[in-house]
């Protein structure tokens, strides 16, 4: 889980990232408290700044955006927008 805190604009990037919205995300725990450091994630669901999101990493992240994962450099993707935390 993470909170979207910003976006990244990059005119020069790997071909597999062309056309993807790149967002800066701050991982959080179930209390909404920051954990670890910020990172960049490719957005596959149209998340906006301030929203809490679900992340996937590794091969799962590559599968969200590309049919040929062997040529995809993505390692973190936003795959859902969190409506609320129920504990």
């Amino acid at each position: 889980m993470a909170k979207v805190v910003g976006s990244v604009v990059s005119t020069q990037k790997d071909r597999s990232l062309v056309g993807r919205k790149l967002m800066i995300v701050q991982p959080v725990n179930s209390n909404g408290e920051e954990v670890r450091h910020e990172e960049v994630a490719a957005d596959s669901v149209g998340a906006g700044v301030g929203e809490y999101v679900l992340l996937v990493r590794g091969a799962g992240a590559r599968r969200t955006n590309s049919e040929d994962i062997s040529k995809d450099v993505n390692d973190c993707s936003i795959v859902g927008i969190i409506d609320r935390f129920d504990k």
Side-chain angles (χ1 to χ4, degrees), residues 8-39:
V8 174
V9 176
S10 174
T11 55
Q12 296 295 318
K13 55 192 165 197
D14 186 85
R15 217 175 303 152
S16 68
L17 295 175
V18 172
R20 295 193 191 169
K21 189 167 112 179
L22 302 175
M23 305 303 284
I24 302 168
V25 295
Q26 171 63 61
V28 297
N29 63 21
S30 62
N31 294 320
E33 300 165 339
E34 296 178 1
V35 294
R36 298 188 308 276
H37 56 278
E38 295 175 346
E39 56 189 303

Side-chain angles (χ1 to χ4, degrees), residues 1 5 8 12 24 32 39 48-49 52 77 80 84:
M1 296 182 295
V5 296
V8 174
Q12 296 295 318
I24 302 168
E39 56 189 303
V49 174
Y52 288 94
S77 287
R84 67 175 187 260

